[in-house]
Structure formats: C-alpha cells, structure tokens
Amino acid sequence: QSALTQPASVSGSPGQSITISCIGTSSDVGSYNLVSWYQQHPGKAPKLMIYEVSNRPSGVPARFSGSKSGNTASLTISGLQAEDEADYYCSSFTSSSTWVFGGGTKLTVL
Amino acid sequence: EVQLVESGGGLVQPGRSLRLSCAASGFTFHDHAMHWVRLAPGKGLEWVSGISWNSVSIGYVDSVKGRFTISRDNANKSLYLQMNSLRVEDTALYYCAKGHAWGTSGSMDVWGQGTTVTVS
C-alpha cells in the first residue's frame, strides 16, 4: 500500500493552466477507473473535485478536469483563480479493496 | 444538508484505546459506504478504513489491521472506529467521510470536520 506519487508543489499565475500528476501502479491507478481528486484548504475538510478519473460533482467548476493514461492520473486546472490555492490529493481504489492517497501537492497561485 | 459530525477524539497514552463516532444526517445513511481518513501533522491524507452499506465489505490500511475496528449502526445513522493499542504514529485529525456509492469502491464525496486524536 505505497502512497501514490505527486509533485510536492506546483505554481501558476491567475488565468494560466496547471497540471498535477499522480503516479500509481498496475495494482491501483492502472487497474481501475476509480481515481479521485480532493482539494483541501488550510484548516478545512477535504472537498471532492473529481471522481472516477474525470467526473465532476455538482458545483465543481468546469475549470477542473481529470484524465488518466496507464498508471498515471492527472488533474488540470485551467483559468487559475486565487481561491484555487490549496493542497490537492489524488486517491485510487486498489486491488486489495482499499484506498490509497497521494502525498499531496501544494498549489500556489502567484 | 448532508452533515457528518465526528466525536470521541482526545489525548491518550500509547497502548490505550479510544472510540471515535460519526453522526450522519441529511442523506440515506444505509445506502452508502462510509470511511475514516486521517491527516497526521505535517503529512498527507491517509485512508484508514472503509465499510460497505451492509457491513459485509470492510477494509483497513495495513498499519492499523488488528488494532482498529470499523463498524456502523444504520438504525442510528452512526459510524464508529474502535482504536486499540494506540501508537504515537496514530496521532492525527480523523475524518469521517461518506462514500459515493453503497460499496467501498466509491469515492468519498462528503467529509466531516474531523476529530483530533493525540497519542502521547
């Protein structure tokens, strides 16, 4: 149950696009279309932003999109806004019927 | 409004036990899997345990197997986490999260505010 691999930090200017990668294995990301992405602001509870690789829950802006290729999932945020500054976590269901999270990525909006 | 309220956290000595509770409201509790996820100081989110709608499917992260037990009471819309043989490394903010589906393979779509467990 090793954690998924995410970059520790990414940054971008308002209006730009950024992509956060999430590298797993054939036992998790590569085997299931059950990858989720969560946004967490300091002192707040995590919020689901993407589920099942590319689906957005109601209320999540269309600026947020997800994709997957092989063992790597990605979250793209286009038209960056100041309120997007937060920690982002990917997670995947695994072949052990458990969930595993990535280490988290701190997004800074310059 | 969907709401999850955790309770039961606190300061406990290594080796002792603690029982966390999560009270759910605003949705059909018995139709959804439920999960516990923790956030240790200076670290990232870690899935701890999940339980299906009917308690048939249960999973744990390796580090808590044999020490933690997840359970639910659908009649009272409550989720529990019995934590035994606590270790310093179990210190974290523990979140209760609602599963998107009835099985544990669904993502976690609503989260509580968490309850803090300190083992020292």
mmCIF file of all heavy atoms in Angstrom, chain B residues 4 6 93-96 112-116:
data_model
loop_
_atom_site.group_PDB
_atom_site.id
_atom_site.type_symbol
_atom_site.label_atom_id
_atom_site.label_comp_id
_atom_site.label_asym_id
_atom_site.label_seq_id
_atom_site.Cartn_x
_atom_site.Cartn_y
_atom_site.Cartn_z
ATOM 1 N N LEU B 4 -21.828 15.449 8.546
ATOM 2 C CA LEU B 4 -21.121 14.410 9.295
ATOM 3 C C LEU B 4 -20.419 15.089 10.463
ATOM 4 O O LEU B 4 -19.671 16.050 10.257
ATOM 5 C CB LEU B 4 -20.100 13.711 8.403
ATOM 6 C CG LEU B 4 -20.655 12.981 7.172
ATOM 7 C CD1 LEU B 4 -19.521 12.540 6.256
ATOM 8 C CD2 LEU B 4 -21.492 11.785 7.589
ATOM 9 N N GLU B 6 -18.005 14.278 13.704
ATOM 10 C CA GLU B 6 -17.171 13.313 14.427
ATOM 11 C C GLU B 6 -17.036 13.720 15.895
ATOM 12 O O GLU B 6 -17.100 14.908 16.236
ATOM 13 C CB GLU B 6 -15.768 13.242 13.812
ATOM 14 C CG GLU B 6 -15.722 12.882 12.346
ATOM 15 C CD GLU B 6 -15.721 14.083 11.420
ATOM 16 O OE1 GLU B 6 -16.195 15.166 11.844
ATOM 17 O OE2 GLU B 6 -15.243 13.961 10.273
ATOM 18 N N LEU B 93 -5.663 14.056 12.814
ATOM 19 C CA LEU B 93 -7.041 14.504 12.717
ATOM 20 C C LEU B 93 -7.780 13.422 11.930
ATOM 21 O O LEU B 93 -7.372 13.097 10.808
ATOM 22 C CB LEU B 93 -7.099 15.846 11.991
ATOM 23 C CG LEU B 93 -8.468 16.479 11.757
ATOM 24 C CD1 LEU B 93 -9.166 16.784 13.081
ATOM 25 C CD2 LEU B 93 -8.315 17.761 10.923
ATOM 26 N N TYR B 94 -8.815 12.863 12.526
ATOM 27 C CA TYR B 94 -9.547 11.766 11.898
ATOM 28 C C TYR B 94 -10.852 12.281 11.299
ATOM 29 O O TYR B 94 -11.693 12.838 12.018
ATOM 30 C CB TYR B 94 -9.842 10.660 12.916
ATOM 31 C CG TYR B 94 -8.629 9.811 13.216
ATOM 32 C CD1 TYR B 94 -7.596 10.315 14.009
ATOM 33 C CD2 TYR B 94 -8.505 8.520 12.707
ATOM 34 C CE1 TYR B 94 -6.460 9.552 14.274
ATOM 35 C CE2 TYR B 94 -7.381 7.753 12.975
ATOM 36 C CZ TYR B 94 -6.368 8.278 13.748
ATOM 37 O OH TYR B 94 -5.237 7.523 14.015
ATOM 38 N N TYR B 95 -11.002 12.077 9.991
ATOM 39 C CA TYR B 95 -12.205 12.494 9.277
ATOM 40 C C TYR B 95 -13.116 11.293 9.021
ATOM 41 O O TYR B 95 -12.648 10.214 8.655
ATOM 42 C CB TYR B 95 -11.846 13.086 7.918
ATOM 43 C CG TYR B 95 -11.101 14.384 7.934
ATOM 44 C CD1 TYR B 95 -9.735 14.433 7.651
ATOM 45 C CD2 TYR B 95 -11.759 15.588 8.177
ATOM 46 C CE1 TYR B 95 -9.043 15.634 7.624
ATOM 47 C CE2 TYR B 95 -11.082 16.796 8.154
ATOM 48 C CZ TYR B 95 -9.724 16.809 7.879
ATOM 49 O OH TYR B 95 -9.044 18.006 7.849
ATOM 50 N N CYS B 96 -14.383 11.532 9.139
ATOM 51 C CA CYS B 96 -15.415 10.614 8.694
ATOM 52 C C CYS B 96 -15.833 11.075 7.300
ATOM 53 O O CYS B 96 -15.971 12.292 7.069
ATOM 54 C CB CYS B 96 -16.583 10.689 9.680
ATOM 55 S SG CYS B 96 -18.144 9.978 9.158
ATOM 56 N N GLY B 112 -16.615 15.143 7.128
ATOM 57 C CA GLY B 112 -16.849 15.897 8.347
ATOM 58 C C GLY B 112 -15.683 16.841 8.618
ATOM 59 O O GLY B 112 -14.752 16.929 7.811
ATOM 60 N N GLN B 113 -15.749 17.536 9.733
ATOM 61 C CA GLN B 113 -14.687 18.477 10.096
ATOM 62 C C GLN B 113 -13.544 17.804 10.856
ATOM 63 O O GLN B 113 -12.487 18.400 11.050
ATOM 64 C CB GLN B 113 -15.262 19.623 10.926
ATOM 65 C CG GLN B 113 -16.140 20.563 10.109
ATOM 66 C CD GLN B 113 -15.401 21.171 8.926
ATOM 67 O OE1 GLN B 113 -14.312 21.721 9.072
ATOM 68 N NE2 GLN B 113 -15.980 21.066 7.727
ATOM 69 N N GLY B 114 -13.751 16.589 11.292
ATOM 70 C CA GLY B 114 -12.679 15.826 11.924
ATOM 71 C C GLY B 114 -12.659 15.920 13.443
ATOM 72 O O GLY B 114 -13.206 16.844 14.048
ATOM 73 N N THR B 115 -12.033 14.918 14.052
ATOM 74 C CA THR B 115 -11.808 14.894 15.482
ATOM 75 C C THR B 115 -10.344 14.533 15.720
ATOM 76 O O THR B 115 -9.805 13.652 15.046
ATOM 77 C CB THR B 115 -12.758 13.900 16.190
ATOM 78 O OG1 THR B 115 -12.604 14.003 17.612
ATOM 79 C CG2 THR B 115 -12.506 12.454 15.771
ATOM 80 N N THR B 116 -9.710 15.224 16.648
ATOM 81 C CA THR B 116 -8.266 15.084 16.838
ATOM 82 C C THR B 116 -7.927 14.001 17.851
ATOM 83 O O THR B 116 -8.469 13.976 18.963
ATOM 84 C CB THR B 116 -7.660 16.411 17.306
ATOM 85 O OG1 THR B 116 -7.891 17.404 16.289
ATOM 86 C CG2 THR B 116 -6.155 16.275 17.508
#
